[in-house]
Structures are given as C-alpha cells and as structure tokens.
C-alpha cells in the first residue's frame, strides 16, 4: 500500500473532530475528556488525526509544493496510539486514519523529511538488531542463571520472545526470568531464540521504515517454522501488537498462536496450573498498553478498491473489514489481577479501547521527549484520581516511560507490571 491508495478515505474525512476527544457518551469528566495526546499537547488542529488527514489529502491533490520540517513535526509528534481511529470509527466512518498516518510518515521520509533521532535508531537497528544500537552479543544477558531451551539446538513448544526493551533494560530482567520460571513450573516447555533472537521491527515501522518490519517478520517466521513451536509468548505489548496487527499488513501471518504473557498466565491460572496464594493487599488501577489493547487487534490486509455505485456513493470491493479496537487483549490482564488475593482493581476514566497512551510509541519517546513525558504524566494524574495506590501495566515500554517521567519531575507513584504482582502472590 502507499499513500495514494488512501485517496478515497482521506477525501471522506468529515472534519468532525471526533478524533480529538473521548466519545461523548463515555466522557466522565472534562479533566480526562481528551482523546488524542498530540492535539491535546499542541492545541492546534493540524496535530490531530483529522489535521493529518487534511495534509494527506493536500499532498494527494497536488497542493503541497514543498515538504517542510513543520510538516514533519506535525506528522511525527504523535505516539501512533490509535485512539483517534477508535474515536473516528465510533461514529461510523470507515476511515483508517492510523494507516493513513503510517503512509504519511513513509511518504515524508521518501521526500527527505527524516527525523534525525529516528535515523539513529534505524542505523543502530541495522547494525545490532535492536532499537538501542547496543551490542547484539549482550541480547541474552537477561537469561543468565536460567535453565531454558535454545530453539537453535532443541525443539520447544513455546517460543518466548522478550523484546528489545526487556533484553537491554536490566530493571526488567527479574520479571522476565520470573515469567519464564513460572511457566516452566506450570509444566510449559519453553525455549528462546538464543543468539538468533532479534527485534520485532514494530517500532521501526511506526517511525516510517517498512523494510525493517518486513525483514524481521520473515526472520521470525522462519525461526518459528524451524523450532516447531506452537505458541509465541511475549511479555512486551509492543512486540505483541507488532506480531498480531502489523505483520499481517506486510503479508506475514505467523503459523503459531500469539499470546501476551498475561493471556498465557490467565489461561494457566484458570486451568489450576498456577496458584496465587499469598495476599497482595493493594488498591490498583490498570493501564491498557495501546499495542496490547486497541492496537493488538488482529491486523487485516485489505487490498480492494472503492467502486462508484451512485454518483456520490462508493462501495469498498471486496467489503472492507471495520476494526473498532474492541478485539484487543483487555480482559486477561484484568482477570489475572482479580485472581490475586487482596488486590482491589479500580478503572480509570479512559480505559480499554479508549485508554490514554503512555507516550512512548510511534518514535515519540526517541524524538519528542517533552511530549512523551507530558503524555505519561497525564496518565499518572488519571491513575491517581482513581484513589489507587499504584498503576499496573503489561508493557515494559509503558512502565519505563511512566517511571522516567515521574523521576524527571520529582514525583512519586508506584508503577508495576502484572507479572510483578503475580510473582508477589507466588512468593517469587
Ligand atoms: S495516533 Fe494518538 S497521538 Fe497520534 S493523532 Fe491519533 S490519537 Fe493523536
Ligand atoms: S479523522 Fe475521522 S473523526 Fe477525525 S475529523 Fe476526520 S472523520 Fe472526523
């Protein structure tokens, strides 16, 4: 696909601005009524999804004579969280704003508007197969001390994919090791890709670099085939959304069941293979990571066309599937938390498909730090407003961004991963 494939869609944006806010019927307060971090931060229409769609239309209709840095700022200072798309579609417009914004990024890069910080990430990725540009040889340090299969040497039923953030951020190692150990104790046959493990390509894609996603998707598909694994399990929501939603967009369907660690833990708890016995007396709220929730909904590659059926009416042929973000992973992490004795779970105003982003996606963390931090702190305020003593999430990128934003601003609030609380309840 390319930007020109979306001409019909961008010319049917109604300029309604629904993409900026929570749907009216779900709005609970003015304070947490914003839906789009980008336009809420900039307070200027161009930064909204609708504004970007107008830019796409102007490009496609030849009204853009020059590509500028301001244009790149508008397009890239966005977390690609997808909240706009859910809002747009709540009002029944079958406009895929997220795909339009993705193609807009690729189009701007092709026309010389590269974000230097993103380019650095891509160079490091090409060199070391991770988004931090850290030595590839260090990727498996998190595994030290664990007795886990290497699928390059022996078959395993489950391929555990940690993701770059877990591999290169020591704060997440105990949790990843804990997750693997809990699975093993529940009788799961776990392996990792050892020296062949690499990035999923999702963050590069969202920065506008499609080729990286294609390459990493192909590499992972062949690793899975060789391993004989029937399940791919990851503790990273970013990787999960990449496997489920983005791989299909580049024609890669993995021949394996894709599970986030919370989905697998939920299943094993319900089957009685994991017992949560210790009390964890805490009042908590759960933050839905975008790529586990609305962006974890399975991706569908639609390659049809719009045909004129009446002078002003077009029909998508074949019918275009509508994704409302409702089929993401929402209940399993909540069910795991509810299964922990002593845990009281309260919801934030913006939850599930309408969750507010943590601020770390779409290359915002790497290139627009102030915006990324502001977005994270907005979410922390929302979490605090529930009266919860801690926020729990299910993605190392979200957790890292919340913790860093709090620390940089001398604020205190507890942030955990679902697995942290499972480990507490199991005394691990
Ligand atoms: S993806 Fe998120 S930040 Fe970007 S325009 Fe949509 S709602 Fe706003
Ligand atoms: S992108 Fe969708 S919600 Fe936003 S202005 Fe256009 S039609 Fe309305």
């Amino acid at each position: 696909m390319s930007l020109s494939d979306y001409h019909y869609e961008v010319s049917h944006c109604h300029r309604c601005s629904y993409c900026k806010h929570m749907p009216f019927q779900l709005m609970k307060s003015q304070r947490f009524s914003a839906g789009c971090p980008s336009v809420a931060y900039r307070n200027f229409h161009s930064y909204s999804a609708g504004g970007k769609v107008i830019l796409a239309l102007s490009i496609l209709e030849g009204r853009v004579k020059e590509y500028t840095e301001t244009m790149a700022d508008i397009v890239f200072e966005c977390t690609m969280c997808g909240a706009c798309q859910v809002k747009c579609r709540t009002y029944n417009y079958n406009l895929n704003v997220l795909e339009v914004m993705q193609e807009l990024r690729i189009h701007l890069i092709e026309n010389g508007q590269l974000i230097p910080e993103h380019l650095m990430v891509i160079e490091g990725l090409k060199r070391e197969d991770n988004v931090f540009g850290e030595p590839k040889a260090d990727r498996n340090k998190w595994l030290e001390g664990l007795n886990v299969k290497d699928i390059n040497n022996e078959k395993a039923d489950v391929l555990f994919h940690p993701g770059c953030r877990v591999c290169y951020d020591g704060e997440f190692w105990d949790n990843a090791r804990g997750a693997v150990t809990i699975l093993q104790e529940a009788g799961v046959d776990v392996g990792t890709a050892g020296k062949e493990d690499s990035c999923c390509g999702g963050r590069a894609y969202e920065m506008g670099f499609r080729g990286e996603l294609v390459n990493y998707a192909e590499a992972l598909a062949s690793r899975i085939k060789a391993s004989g694994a029937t399940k791919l399990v990851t503790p990273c929501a970013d990787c999960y959304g990449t496997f489920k939603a983005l791989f299909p967009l580049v024609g890669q369907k993995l021949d394996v069941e894709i599970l986030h660690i919370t989905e697998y833990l939920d299943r094993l708890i319900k089957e009685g293979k994991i017992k949560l016995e210790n009390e964890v007396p805490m009042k908590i709220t759960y933050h839905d990571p975008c790529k586990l929730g609305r962006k974890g909904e399975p991706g569908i590659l639609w390659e049809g066309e719009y045909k004129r059926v009446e002078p002003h009416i077009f029909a998508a042929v074949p019918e275009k599937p509508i994704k409302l973000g409702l089929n993401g992973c929402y209940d399993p992490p909540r069910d795991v938390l509810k299964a922990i004795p002593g845990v009281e779970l309260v919801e934030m105003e913006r939850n599930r498909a309408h969750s507010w982003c943590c601020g770390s996606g779409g290359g915002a963390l790497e290139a627009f730090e102030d915006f990324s931090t502001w977005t994270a702190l907005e979410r922390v305020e929302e979490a605090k407003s529930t009266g919860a003593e801690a926020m729990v999430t299910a993605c190392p990128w979200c957790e890292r961004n919340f913790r860093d934003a709090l620390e940089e601003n001398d604020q205190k609030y507890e942030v955990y991963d679902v697995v942290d609380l499972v480990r507490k309840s199991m005394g691990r």
Side-chain angles (χ1 to χ4, degrees):
M1 301 290 273
S2 73
L3 192 57
S4 56
D5 293 316
Y6 293 89
H7 193 184
Y8 170 81
E9 297 195 29
V10 296
S11 60
H12 283 74
C13 162
H14 295 244
R15 314 280 191 264
C16 61
S17 283
Y18 288 149
C19 46
K20 295 175 184 169
H21 314 287
M22 281 291 282
F24 297 125
Q25 63 272 33
L26 298 177
M27 227 180 246
K28 296 203 173 91
S29 72
Q30 193 274 335
R31 174 66 184 89
F32 301 116
S33 61
C36 163
S38 185
V39 77
Y41 182 66
R42 285 292 184 175
N43 199 19
F44 191 74
H45 178 72
S46 297
Y47 286 83
S48 71
K52 288 167 203 154
V53 164
I54 292 173
L55 173 60
L57 184 63
S58 300
I59 290 171
L60 290 173
E61 299 199 338
R63 291 191 291 275
V64 169
K65 305 293 175 210
E66 187 191 358
Y67 292 89
T68 64
E69 277 181 28
T70 307
M71 228 178 247
D73 195 63
I74 287 166
V75 171
F76 287 97
E77 198 177 36
C78 154
T79 60
M80 295 294 276
C81 66
C84 47
Q85 177 157 308
V86 175
K87 273 116 188 109
C88 180
R89 291 184 161 190
T90 301
Y91 294 99
N92 295 325
Y93 302 125
N94 194 9
L95 200 168
N96 198 330
V97 285
L98 202 54
E99 284 178 22
V100 170
M101 293 191 299
Q102 180 65 43
E103 294 302 334
L104 199 49
R105 287 178 168 216
I106 294 170
H107 183 85
L108 255 64
I109 289 170
E110 285 167 358
N111 284 278
Q113 288 302 330
L114 288 143
I115 303 293
E117 293 86 348
H118 291 176
L119 200 53
M120 274 175 59
V121 171
I122 302 303
E123 282 166 2
L125 182 62
K126 284 187 167 149
R127 202 178 57 240
E128 304 289 351
D129 285 330
N130 67 79
V131 289
F132 303 107
E134 293 288 329
K136 188 172 168 61
D138 292 346
R139 192 166 182 101
N140 286 315
K141 277 192 168 174
W142 73 276
L143 272 170
E144 279 167 21
L146 268 188
N147 184 13
V148 61
K149 285 181 175 177
D150 179 339
I151 60 155
N152 299 294
N153 307 324
E154 51 188 329
K155 303 258 183 222
D157 184 49
V158 167
L159 174 58
F160 188 86
H161 174 95
C164 297
R165 173 56 74 185
V166 166
C167 291
Y168 291 98
D169 189 334
E171 262 190 47
F172 297 103
W173 291 0
D174 277 349
N175 217 21
R177 286 186 189 127
V180 169
T181 308
I182 289 169
L183 292 182
Q184 288 175 325
E185 288 174 4
V188 176
D189 177 23
V190 193
T192 73
K195 65 179 177 20
E196 296 300 327
D197 189 41
S198 66
C199 180
C200 65
R203 292 186 77 80
Y205 177 71
E206 293 195 336
M207 288 175 194
F209 296 84
R210 194 186 332 252
E212 273 55 42
L213 181 68
V214 173
N215 295 343
Y216 287 116
E218 278 170 9
L220 182 58
S222 56
R223 277 205 297 281
I224 287 172
K225 208 168 190 178
S227 74
T230 65
K231 297 177 193 68
L232 174 64
V233 176
T234 180
C236 178
D238 223 274
C239 300
Y240 177 87
T242 300
F243 302 147
K244 277 231 155 166
L246 300 183
F247 277 14
L249 299 185
V250 293
Q252 191 61 255
K253 196 182 169 313
L254 297 178
D255 193 17
V256 74
E257 186 184 15
I258 300 162
L259 292 164
H260 185 261
I261 186 69
T262 57
E263 288 179 298
Y264 207 12
L265 292 177
D266 181 42
R267 183 183 292 180
L268 295 167
I269 290 165
K270 285 173 179 163
E271 287 172 357
K273 293 178 181 158
I274 291 177
K275 305 246 181 281
L276 304 175
E277 281 165 348
N278 298 340
E279 285 263 328
V280 183
M282 284 177 83
K283 183 175 178 180
I284 55 159
T285 189
Y286 174 70
H287 165 77
D288 290 278
C290 306
K291 286 184 77 173
L292 186 58
R294 59 181 166 253
K295 287 183 73 185
E297 191 169 78
I300 303 162
L301 179 61
W302 180 80
E303 292 181 299
E305 57 178 324
Y306 286 96
K307 289 198 170 146
R308 192 185 290 273
V309 291
E310 293 282 345
H312 297 296
I313 301 176
F314 291 77
V317 181
E319 196 174 340
K320 190 168 187 180
I322 297 180
K323 287 171 63 198
L324 288 171
L326 303 175
N327 295 317
C329 173
Y330 298 114
D331 288 323
R334 287 175 169 81
D335 286 354
V336 171
L337 292 171
K338 286 179 201 159
I340 300 172
V343 163
E344 182 190 351
L345 176 65
V346 288
E347 292 288 350
M348 284 184 264
E349 289 186 21
R350 296 170 290 191
N351 57 50
R352 302 173 80 96
H354 294 285
S355 176
W356 181 261
C357 176
C358 76
S360 75
L365 173 67
E366 291 82 355
F368 299 94
E369 211 183 317
D370 290 350
F371 163 57
S372 177
T373 300
W374 175 86
T375 305
L377 291 179
E378 279 291 293
R379 190 58 162 166
V380 170
E381 285 307 307
E382 190 174 353
K384 286 180 182 169
S385 77
T386 64
E389 63 195 90
M391 173 162 48
V392 181
T393 187
C395 178
W397 290 94
C398 300
E399 190 176 339
R400 166 56 62 220
N401 213 34
F402 289 135
R403 288 199 172 161
D404 286 353
L406 285 159
E407 199 179 316
E408 281 161 25
N409 289 275
D410 293 325
Q411 291 188 29
K412 296 224 177 312
Y413 195 59
E414 295 297 325
V415 185
Y416 295 99
D417 189 276
V418 173
V419 177
D420 285 321
L421 269 55
V422 169
R423 289 170 59 219
K424 272 183 198 282
S425 186
M426 294 180 77
R428 299 287 189 282

